[in-house]
Structures are given as structure tokens and as C-alpha cells.
Amino acid sequence: MLGWTTYCRFFWPKLHPPTWNAPSYTFVCWLCCSSYDVVWSITAYVIALLGIVATLLAMRHQDVDSYVLLGF
């Protein structure tokens, strides 16, 4: 997810005007690639980091892992 978000934000050719058929793996990524708004890119990064934290907590069998995974 981090790789695709980075690709979409920095390497995806920015068409003018933005098109609705941008590549996407989540709704947030589609919003980023179809509008070129940085807010959606940052949101995608936050979601990806939440997934990484949830995975690390689940691997360590922490007490809050189920709540973080549910949030992710």
C-alpha cells in the first residue's frame, strides 16, 4: 500500500483535467489519483501506517491488536 500510494502521488502522470478512471487499490487512492489533492495522499499514507502498526501488534500478540486490526 505504501508503494502504490507513493507511485500515485509522485510518479503517476498528472492529466489535466483529472480523470475519473485513475488507478486505485482503495477508494482513498482513487480520490487522490483522480483529484490530485494531497489530503487524500496523506490519508492513504495514514491508513497504510495503521495497517503496519496493526500487523506489528498482532505479531507481538499485544492486548490492543484486535482493536487496531478492527480499525484498519
Side-chain angles (χ1 to χ4, degrees), residues 14-25:
K14 308 291 191 269
L15 304 173
H16 293 285
T19 61
W20 62 270
N21 62 347
S24 60
Y25 53 91

Side-chain angles (χ1 to χ4, degrees), residues 50-63:
L50 180 64
I52 291 170
V53 169
T55 302
L56 291 174
L57 288 175
M59 287 173 46
R60 292 180 173 206
H61 303 291
Q62 299 293 323
D63 294 335

Side-chain angles (χ1 to χ4, degrees), residues 41-69:
S41 177
I42 293 170
T43 305
Y45 278 124
V46 169
I47 292 170
L49 290 175
L50 180 64
I52 291 170
V53 169
T55 302
L56 291 174
L57 288 175
M59 287 173 46
R60 292 180 173 206
H61 303 291
Q62 299 293 323
D63 294 335
V64 295
D65 62 352
S66 58
Y67 299 113
V68 177
L69 282 172

Side-chain angles (χ1 to χ4, degrees), residues 1-8 25 44-49 52:
M1 190 169 181
L2 287 173
W4 285 115
T5 301
T6 302
Y7 170 76
C8 188
Y25 53 91
Y45 278 124
V46 169
I47 292 170
L49 290 175
I52 291 170

